[in-house]
Every structure is written in C-alpha cells, then in structure tokens.
PDB file of all heavy atoms in Angstrom:
ATOM      1  N   CYS S   8    -117.797  56.479 -20.676  1.00 97.00           N
ATOM      2  CA  CYS S   8    -118.028  55.056 -20.431  1.00 97.00           C
ATOM      3  C   CYS S   8    -117.358  54.210 -21.515  1.00 97.00           C
ATOM      4  O   CYS S   8    -116.980  54.700 -22.574  1.00 97.00           O
ATOM      5  CB  CYS S   8    -119.519  54.756 -20.365  1.00 97.00           C
ATOM      6  SG  CYS S   8    -120.374  54.899 -21.945  1.00 97.00           S
ATOM      7  N   VAL S   9    -117.244  52.931 -21.216  1.00 98.00           N
ATOM      8  CA  VAL S   9    -116.779  51.937 -22.179  1.00 98.00           C
ATOM      9  C   VAL S   9    -117.947  50.972 -22.379  1.00 98.00           C
ATOM     10  O   VAL S   9    -118.455  50.417 -21.410  1.00 98.00           O
ATOM     11  CB  VAL S   9    -115.537  51.183 -21.657  1.00 98.00           C
ATOM     12  CG1 VAL S   9    -115.103  50.113 -22.643  1.00 98.00           C
ATOM     13  CG2 VAL S   9    -114.396  52.141 -21.365  1.00 98.00           C
ATOM     14  N   ILE S  10    -118.359  50.792 -23.624  1.00 98.00           N
ATOM     15  CA  ILE S  10    -119.474  49.899 -23.937  1.00 98.00           C
ATOM     16  C   ILE S  10    -118.889  48.685 -24.640  1.00 98.00           C
ATOM     17  O   ILE S  10    -118.255  48.811 -25.689  1.00 98.00           O
ATOM     18  CB  ILE S  10    -120.521  50.598 -24.817  1.00 98.00           C
ATOM     19  CG1 ILE S  10    -121.014  51.875 -24.138  1.00 98.00           C
ATOM     20  CG2 ILE S  10    -121.686  49.652 -25.102  1.00 98.00           C
ATOM     21  CD1 ILE S  10    -121.885  52.758 -25.013  1.00 98.00           C
ATOM     22  N   VAL S  11    -119.101  47.514 -24.055  1.00 98.00           N
ATOM     23  CA  VAL S  11    -118.462  46.302 -24.561  1.00 98.00           C
ATOM     24  C   VAL S  11    -119.452  45.131 -24.516  1.00 98.00           C
ATOM     25  O   VAL S  11    -120.269  45.021 -23.608  1.00 98.00           O
ATOM     26  CB  VAL S  11    -117.183  45.985 -23.744  1.00 98.00           C
ATOM     27  CG1 VAL S  11    -117.479  45.781 -22.274  1.00 98.00           C
ATOM     28  CG2 VAL S  11    -116.432  44.806 -24.318  1.00 98.00           C
ATOM     29  N   ALA S  12    -119.345  44.276 -25.518  1.00 97.00           N
ATOM     30  CA  ALA S  12    -120.126  43.036 -25.542  1.00 97.00           C
ATOM     31  C   ALA S  12    -119.249  41.925 -24.971  1.00 97.00           C
ATOM     32  O   ALA S  12    -118.185  41.629 -25.516  1.00 97.00           O
ATOM     33  CB  ALA S  12    -120.547  42.699 -26.963  1.00 97.00           C
ATOM     34  N   VAL S  13    -119.678  41.349 -23.866  1.00 96.00           N
ATOM     35  CA  VAL S  13    -118.941  40.271 -23.217  1.00 96.00           C
ATOM     36  C   VAL S  13    -119.711  38.975 -23.430  1.00 96.00           C
ATOM     37  O   VAL S  13    -120.896  38.903 -23.094  1.00 96.00           O
ATOM     38  CB  VAL S  13    -118.761  40.547 -21.705  1.00 96.00           C
ATOM     39  CG1 VAL S  13    -118.027  39.407 -21.029  1.00 96.00           C
ATOM     40  CG2 VAL S  13    -118.020  41.863 -21.486  1.00 96.00           C
ATOM     41  N   PRO S  14    -119.059  37.945 -23.997  1.00 92.00           N
ATOM     42  CA  PRO S  14    -119.755  36.681 -24.212  1.00 92.00           C
ATOM     43  C   PRO S  14    -120.358  36.147 -22.910  1.00 92.00           C
ATOM     44  O   PRO S  14    -119.836  36.399 -21.825  1.00 92.00           O
ATOM     45  CB  PRO S  14    -118.654  35.739 -24.713  1.00 92.00           C
ATOM     46  CG  PRO S  14    -117.591  36.638 -25.243  1.00 92.00           C
ATOM     47  CD  PRO S  14    -117.665  37.898 -24.426  1.00 92.00           C
ATOM     48  N   ASN S  15    -121.452  35.463 -23.029  1.00 88.00           N
ATOM     49  CA  ASN S  15    -122.169  34.844 -21.909  1.00 88.00           C
ATOM     50  C   ASN S  15    -122.917  35.842 -21.029  1.00 88.00           C
ATOM     51  O   ASN S  15    -123.462  35.454 -20.002  1.00 88.00           O
ATOM     52  CB  ASN S  15    -121.242  33.983 -21.047  1.00 88.00           C
ATOM     53  CG  ASN S  15    -120.604  32.869 -21.847  1.00 88.00           C
ATOM     54  OD1 ASN S  15    -121.230  32.275 -22.722  1.00 88.00           O
ATOM     55  ND2 ASN S  15    -119.358  32.595 -21.578  1.00 88.00           N
ATOM     56  N   LEU S  16    -122.917  37.108 -21.394  1.00 94.00           N
ATOM     57  CA  LEU S  16    -123.723  38.099 -20.690  1.00 94.00           C
ATOM     58  C   LEU S  16    -124.719  38.673 -21.684  1.00 94.00           C
ATOM     59  O   LEU S  16    -124.368  38.918 -22.834  1.00 94.00           O
ATOM     60  CB  LEU S  16    -122.852  39.222 -20.117  1.00 94.00           C
ATOM     61  CG  LEU S  16    -121.886  38.832 -19.011  1.00 94.00           C
ATOM     62  CD1 LEU S  16    -121.054  40.037 -18.599  1.00 94.00           C
ATOM     63  CD2 LEU S  16    -122.627  38.275 -17.809  1.00 94.00           C
ATOM     64  N   ASP S  17    -125.930  38.883 -21.251  1.00 90.00           N
ATOM     65  CA  ASP S  17    -126.959  39.416 -22.140  1.00 90.00           C
ATOM     66  C   ASP S  17    -126.693  40.877 -22.454  1.00 90.00           C
ATOM     67  O   ASP S  17    -126.396  41.673 -21.562  1.00 90.00           O
ATOM     68  CB  ASP S  17    -128.343  39.296 -21.491  1.00 90.00           C
ATOM     69  CG  ASP S  17    -128.780  37.841 -21.369  1.00 90.00           C
ATOM     70  OD1 ASP S  17    -128.338  37.021 -22.192  1.00 90.00           O
ATOM     71  OD2 ASP S  17    -129.559  37.541 -20.453  1.00 90.00           O
ATOM     72  N   GLY S  18    -126.806  41.227 -23.713  1.00 89.00           N
ATOM     73  CA  GLY S  18    -126.665  42.610 -24.125  1.00 89.00           C
ATOM     74  C   GLY S  18    -125.246  43.119 -23.966  1.00 89.00           C
ATOM     75  O   GLY S  18    -124.304  42.361 -23.785  1.00 89.00           O
ATOM     76  N   VAL S  19    -125.113  44.429 -24.037  1.00 96.00           N
ATOM     77  CA  VAL S  19    -123.802  45.051 -23.855  1.00 96.00           C
ATOM     78  C   VAL S  19    -123.653  45.505 -22.419  1.00 96.00           C
ATOM     79  O   VAL S  19    -124.636  45.703 -21.707  1.00 96.00           O
ATOM     80  CB  VAL S  19    -123.595  46.235 -24.824  1.00 96.00           C
ATOM     81  CG1 VAL S  19    -123.625  45.772 -26.262  1.00 96.00           C
ATOM     82  CG2 VAL S  19    -124.609  47.329 -24.578  1.00 96.00           C
ATOM     83  N   GLN S  20    -122.419  45.682 -22.013  1.00 97.00           N
ATOM     84  CA  GLN S  20    -122.117  46.170 -20.676  1.00 97.00           C
ATOM     85  C   GLN S  20    -121.644  47.614 -20.798  1.00 97.00           C
ATOM     86  O   GLN S  20    -120.746  47.910 -21.600  1.00 97.00           O
ATOM     87  CB  GLN S  20    -121.037  45.311 -20.023  1.00 97.00           C
ATOM     88  CG  GLN S  20    -121.375  43.823 -19.983  1.00 97.00           C
ATOM     89  CD  GLN S  20    -122.674  43.544 -19.272  1.00 97.00           C
ATOM     90  OE1 GLN S  20    -122.866  43.950 -18.135  1.00 97.00           O
ATOM     91  NE2 GLN S  20    -123.592  42.869 -19.951  1.00 97.00           N
ATOM     92  N   ILE S  21    -122.252  48.493 -20.051  1.00 97.00           N
ATOM     93  CA  ILE S  21    -121.868  49.894 -20.045  1.00 97.00           C
ATOM     94  C   ILE S  21    -121.059  50.119 -18.772  1.00 97.00           C
ATOM     95  O   ILE S  21    -121.591  50.064 -17.671  1.00 97.00           O
ATOM     96  CB  ILE S  21    -123.094  50.810 -20.112  1.00 97.00           C
ATOM     97  CG1 ILE S  21    -123.896  50.490 -21.373  1.00 97.00           C
ATOM     98  CG2 ILE S  21    -122.671  52.277 -20.081  1.00 97.00           C
ATOM     99  CD1 ILE S  21    -125.232  51.188 -21.462  1.00 97.00           C
ATOM    100  N   VAL S  22    -119.767  50.344 -18.952  1.00 98.00           N
ATOM    101  CA  VAL S  22    -118.831  50.385 -17.831  1.00 98.00           C
ATOM    102  C   VAL S  22    -118.416  51.834 -17.573  1.00 98.00           C
ATOM    103  O   VAL S  22    -117.803  52.474 -18.425  1.00 98.00           O
ATOM    104  CB  VAL S  22    -117.591  49.506 -18.122  1.00 98.00           C
ATOM    105  CG1 VAL S  22    -116.669  49.463 -16.922  1.00 98.00           C
ATOM    106  CG2 VAL S  22    -118.023  48.099 -18.527  1.00 98.00           C
ATOM    107  N   TRP S  23    -118.751  52.326 -16.388  1.00 97.00           N
ATOM    108  CA  TRP S  23    -118.437  53.694 -15.990  1.00 97.00           C
ATOM    109  C   TRP S  23    -117.365  53.778 -14.919  1.00 97.00           C
ATOM    110  O   TRP S  23    -116.915  54.863 -14.589  1.00 97.00           O
ATOM    111  CB  TRP S  23    -119.689  54.391 -15.441  1.00 97.00           C
ATOM    112  CG  TRP S  23    -120.594  54.917 -16.485  1.00 97.00           C
ATOM    113  CD1 TRP S  23    -121.753  54.334 -16.936  1.00 97.00           C
ATOM    114  CD2 TRP S  23    -120.455  56.122 -17.234  1.00 97.00           C
ATOM    115  NE1 TRP S  23    -122.319  55.110 -17.905  1.00 97.00           N
ATOM    116  CE2 TRP S  23    -121.547  56.225 -18.108  1.00 97.00           C
ATOM    117  CE3 TRP S  23    -119.498  57.136 -17.247  1.00 97.00           C
ATOM    118  CZ2 TRP S  23    -121.715  57.286 -18.980  1.00 97.00           C
ATOM    119  CZ3 TRP S  23    -119.669  58.198 -18.119  1.00 97.00           C
ATOM    120  CH2 TRP S  23    -120.769  58.262 -18.975  1.00 97.00           C
ATOM    121  N   SER S  24    -116.959  52.638 -14.345  1.00 97.00           N
ATOM    122  CA  SER S  24    -116.063  52.715 -13.198  1.00 97.00           C
ATOM    123  C   SER S  24    -115.075  51.550 -13.164  1.00 97.00           C
ATOM    124  O   SER S  24    -115.342  50.474 -13.712  1.00 97.00           O
ATOM    125  CB  SER S  24    -116.873  52.702 -11.895  1.00 97.00           C
ATOM    126  OG  SER S  24    -117.425  51.422 -11.684  1.00 97.00           O
ATOM    127  N   PRO S  25    -113.954  51.757 -12.480  1.00 97.00           N
ATOM    128  CA  PRO S  25    -113.001  50.674 -12.285  1.00 97.00           C
ATOM    129  C   PRO S  25    -113.602  49.498 -11.515  1.00 97.00           C
ATOM    130  O   PRO S  25    -113.238  48.349 -11.759  1.00 97.00           O
ATOM    131  CB  PRO S  25    -111.869  51.317 -11.490  1.00 97.00           C
ATOM    132  CG  PRO S  25    -111.964  52.769 -11.782  1.00 97.00           C
ATOM    133  CD  PRO S  25    -113.422  53.036 -11.977  1.00 97.00           C
ATOM    134  N   THR S  26    -114.542  49.773 -10.617  1.00 97.00           N
ATOM    135  CA  THR S  26    -115.163  48.688  -9.852  1.00 97.00           C
ATOM    136  C   THR S  26    -115.919  47.735 -10.769  1.00 97.00           C
ATOM    137  O   THR S  26    -115.764  46.516 -10.673  1.00 97.00           O
ATOM    138  CB  THR S  26    -116.118  49.263  -8.784  1.00 97.00           C
ATOM    139  OG1 THR S  26    -115.353  50.045  -7.872  1.00 97.00           O
ATOM    140  CG2 THR S  26    -116.831  48.163  -8.024  1.00 97.00           C
ATOM    141  N   PHE S  27    -116.735  48.281 -11.658  1.00 97.00           N
ATOM    142  CA  PHE S  27    -117.488  47.423 -12.572  1.00 97.00           C
ATOM    143  C   PHE S  27    -116.539  46.725 -13.544  1.00 97.00           C
ATOM    144  O   PHE S  27    -116.720  45.540 -13.854  1.00 97.00           O
ATOM    145  CB  PHE S  27    -118.559  48.227 -13.304  1.00 97.00           C
ATOM    146  CG  PHE S  27    -119.495  47.389 -14.128  1.00 97.00           C
ATOM    147  CD1 PHE S  27    -119.973  46.178 -13.672  1.00 97.00           C
ATOM    148  CD2 PHE S  27    -119.899  47.820 -15.376  1.00 97.00           C
ATOM    149  CE1 PHE S  27    -120.830  45.402 -14.433  1.00 97.00           C
ATOM    150  CE2 PHE S  27    -120.764  47.061 -16.146  1.00 97.00           C
ATOM    151  CZ  PHE S  27    -121.232  45.844 -15.681  1.00 97.00           C
ATOM    152  N   ALA S  28    -115.518  47.439 -14.003  1.00 98.00           N
ATOM    153  CA  ALA S  28    -114.537  46.819 -14.898  1.00 98.00           C
ATOM    154  C   ALA S  28    -113.824  45.659 -14.206  1.00 98.00           C
ATOM    155  O   ALA S  28    -113.664  44.583 -14.794  1.00 98.00           O
ATOM    156  CB  ALA S  28    -113.530  47.867 -15.362  1.00 98.00           C
ATOM    157  N   ALA S  29    -113.412  45.856 -12.962  1.00 98.00           N
ATOM    158  CA  ALA S  29    -112.734  44.786 -12.216  1.00 98.00           C
ATOM    159  C   ALA S  29    -113.646  43.589 -12.033  1.00 98.00           C
ATOM    160  O   ALA S  29    -113.202  42.440 -12.135  1.00 98.00           O
ATOM    161  CB  ALA S  29    -112.262  45.308 -10.864  1.00 98.00           C
ATOM    162  N   ARG S  30    -114.933  43.843 -11.793  1.00 97.00           N
ATOM    163  CA  ARG S  30    -115.874  42.731 -11.641  1.00 97.00           C
ATOM    164  C   ARG S  30    -116.028  41.964 -12.945  1.00 97.00           C
ATOM    165  O   ARG S  30    -116.032  40.723 -12.944  1.00 97.00           O
ATOM    166  CB  ARG S  30    -117.226  43.245 -11.147  1.00 97.00           C
ATOM    167  CG  ARG S  30    -118.120  42.094 -10.695  1.00 97.00           C
ATOM    168  CD  ARG S  30    -119.354  42.554  -9.990  1.00 97.00           C
ATOM    169  NE  ARG S  30    -120.351  42.860 -11.006  1.00 97.00           N
ATOM    170  CZ  ARG S  30    -121.247  43.835 -10.924  1.00 97.00           C
ATOM    171  NH1 ARG S  30    -121.272  44.617  -9.880  1.00 97.00           N
ATOM    172  NH2 ARG S  30    -122.105  44.026 -11.877  1.00 97.00           N
ATOM    173  N   LEU S  31    -116.147  42.676 -14.055  1.00 97.00           N
ATOM    174  CA  LEU S  31    -116.232  41.988 -15.348  1.00 97.00           C
ATOM    175  C   LEU S  31    -114.971  41.174 -15.613  1.00 97.00           C
ATOM    176  O   LEU S  31    -115.044  40.023 -16.046  1.00 97.00           O
ATOM    177  CB  LEU S  31    -116.425  43.001 -16.482  1.00 97.00           C
ATOM    178  CG  LEU S  31    -117.813  43.560 -16.691  1.00 97.00           C
ATOM    179  CD1 LEU S  31    -117.793  44.601 -17.805  1.00 97.00           C
ATOM    180  CD2 LEU S  31    -118.802  42.468 -17.026  1.00 97.00           C
ATOM    181  N   LEU S  32    -113.828  41.779 -15.361  1.00 98.00           N
ATOM    182  CA  LEU S  32    -112.559  41.093 -15.603  1.00 98.00           C
ATOM    183  C   LEU S  32    -112.415  39.839 -14.740  1.00 98.00           C
ATOM    184  O   LEU S  32    -111.951  38.800 -15.208  1.00 98.00           O
ATOM    185  CB  LEU S  32    -111.388  42.045 -15.333  1.00 98.00           C
ATOM    186  CG  LEU S  32    -111.185  43.155 -16.362  1.00 98.00           C
ATOM    187  CD1 LEU S  32    -110.301  44.255 -15.788  1.00 98.00           C
ATOM    188  CD2 LEU S  32    -110.596  42.606 -17.655  1.00 98.00           C
ATOM    189  N   SER S  33    -112.809  39.912 -13.496  1.00 97.00           N
ATOM    190  CA  SER S  33    -112.606  38.776 -12.591  1.00 97.00           C
ATOM    191  C   SER S  33    -113.682  37.710 -12.687  1.00 97.00           C
ATOM    192  O   SER S  33    -113.424  36.548 -12.388  1.00 97.00           O
ATOM    193  CB  SER S  33    -112.479  39.260 -11.150  1.00 97.00           C
ATOM    194  OG  SER S  33    -113.681  39.860 -10.718  1.00 97.00           O
ATOM    195  N   GLU S  34    -114.882  38.074 -13.120  1.00 96.00           N
ATOM    196  CA  GLU S  34    -115.989  37.112 -13.105  1.00 96.00           C
ATOM    197  C   GLU S  34    -116.444  36.644 -14.488  1.00 96.00           C
ATOM    198  O   GLU S  34    -116.989  35.544 -14.599  1.00 96.00           O
ATOM    199  CB  GLU S  34    -117.194  37.721 -12.387  1.00 96.00           C
ATOM    200  CG  GLU S  34    -116.939  38.003 -10.925  1.00 96.00           C
ATOM    201  CD  GLU S  34    -118.102  38.701 -10.248  1.00 96.00           C
ATOM    202  OE1 GLU S  34    -119.167  38.888 -10.879  1.00 96.00           O
ATOM    203  OE2 GLU S  34    -117.945  39.079  -9.075  1.00 96.00           O
ATOM    204  N   ASN S  35    -116.276  37.451 -15.520  1.00 94.00           N
ATOM    205  CA  ASN S  35    -116.892  37.129 -16.802  1.00 94.00           C
ATOM    206  C   ASN S  35    -115.972  37.259 -18.006  1.00 94.00           C
ATOM    207  O   ASN S  35    -116.437  37.213 -19.134  1.00 94.00           O
ATOM    208  CB  ASN S  35    -118.111  38.040 -17.039  1.00 94.00           C
ATOM    209  CG  ASN S  35    -119.157  37.889 -15.968  1.00 94.00           C
ATOM    210  OD1 ASN S  35    -119.277  38.732 -15.104  1.00 94.00           O
ATOM    211  ND2 ASN S  35    -119.889  36.800 -16.004  1.00 94.00           N
ATOM    212  N   TRP S  36    -114.707  37.434 -17.789  1.00 96.00           N
ATOM    213  CA  TRP S  36    -113.810  37.709 -18.908  1.00 96.00           C
ATOM    214  C   TRP S  36    -113.494  36.428 -19.670  1.00 96.00           C
ATOM    215  O   TRP S  36    -113.180  35.394 -19.070  1.00 96.00           O
ATOM    216  CB  TRP S  36    -112.526  38.364 -18.406  1.00 96.00           C
ATOM    217  CG  TRP S  36    -111.970  39.318 -19.406  1.00 96.00           C
ATOM    218  CD1 TRP S  36    -110.789  39.193 -20.080  1.00 96.00           C
ATOM    219  CD2 TRP S  36    -112.564  40.527 -19.855  1.00 96.00           C
ATOM    220  NE1 TRP S  36    -110.617  40.262 -20.915  1.00 96.00           N
ATOM    221  CE2 TRP S  36    -111.708  41.102 -20.802  1.00 96.00           C
ATOM    222  CE3 TRP S  36    -113.757  41.189 -19.554  1.00 96.00           C
ATOM    223  CZ2 TRP S  36    -111.988  42.292 -21.447  1.00 96.00           C
ATOM    224  CZ3 TRP S  36    -114.037  42.379 -20.187  1.00 96.00           C
ATOM    225  CH2 TRP S  36    -113.157  42.916 -21.125  1.00 96.00           C
ATOM    226  N   PRO S  37    -113.544  36.464 -21.008  1.00 94.00           N
ATOM    227  CA  PRO S  37    -113.325  35.242 -21.798  1.00 94.00           C
ATOM    228  C   PRO S  37    -111.855  34.840 -21.933  1.00 94.00           C
ATOM    229  O   PRO S  37    -111.561  33.698 -22.247  1.00 94.00           O
ATOM    230  CB  PRO S  37    -113.912  35.607 -23.159  1.00 94.00           C
ATOM    231  CG  PRO S  37    -113.762  37.092 -23.252  1.00 94.00           C
ATOM    232  CD  PRO S  37    -113.956  37.592 -21.839  1.00 94.00           C
ATOM    233  N   LYS S  38    -110.927  35.769 -21.704  1.00 91.00           N
ATOM    234  CA  LYS S  38    -109.499  35.460 -21.876  1.00 91.00           C
ATOM    235  C   LYS S  38    -108.746  35.950 -20.646  1.00 91.00           C
ATOM    236  O   LYS S  38    -108.312  37.098 -20.581  1.00 91.00           O
ATOM    237  CB  LYS S  38    -108.974  36.139 -23.139  1.00 91.00           C
ATOM    238  CG  LYS S  38    -107.524  35.838 -23.450  1.00 91.00           C
ATOM    239  CD  LYS S  38    -107.110  36.447 -24.784  1.00 91.00           C
ATOM    240  CE  LYS S  38    -105.657  36.337 -25.118  1.00 91.00           C
ATOM    241  NZ  LYS S  38    -104.892  35.260 -24.627  1.00 91.00           N
ATOM    242  N   MET S  39    -108.586  35.074 -19.666  1.00 94.00           N
ATOM    243  CA  MET S  39    -107.975  35.456 -18.395  1.00 94.00           C
ATOM    244  C   MET S  39    -106.491  35.112 -18.297  1.00 94.00           C
ATOM    245  O   MET S  39    -105.916  35.182 -17.220  1.00 94.00           O
ATOM    246  CB  MET S  39    -108.722  34.787 -17.243  1.00 94.00           C
ATOM    247  CG  MET S  39    -110.133  35.258 -17.084  1.00 94.00           C
ATOM    248  SD  MET S  39    -110.898  34.438 -15.687  1.00 94.00           S
ATOM    249  CE  MET S  39    -112.307  35.488 -15.415  1.00 94.00           C
TER     250      MET S  39
END
C-alpha cells in the first residue's frame, strides 16, 4: 500500500489500488 496524508481529508489515506489512487488524484489532489 501507499500511505499518504492528503490536505483537506481527515487522517491518512491508505491506498491499495489504482482505483482509489485515481479517485484521490481526481477529487482531492492539492496540485492538479
């Protein structure tokens, strides 16, 4: 997994899949 702290989201995000990563990138990423 990849464990990352994304601003504006509570706690850390534990990312196990490309689907969750794509969702973070498209919906919550601070530098698009």
Side-chain angles (χ1 to χ4, degrees):
C8 70
V9 178
I10 304 171
V11 59
V13 178
N15 300 323
L16 294 177
D17 292 332
V19 297
Q20 305 303 306
I21 302 172
V22 184
W23 279 101
S24 71
T26 297
F27 188 41
R30 192 170 85 215
L31 281 177
L32 288 163
S33 64
E34 296 176 5
N35 300 104
W36 212 246
K38 183 175 174 29
M39 294 181 164

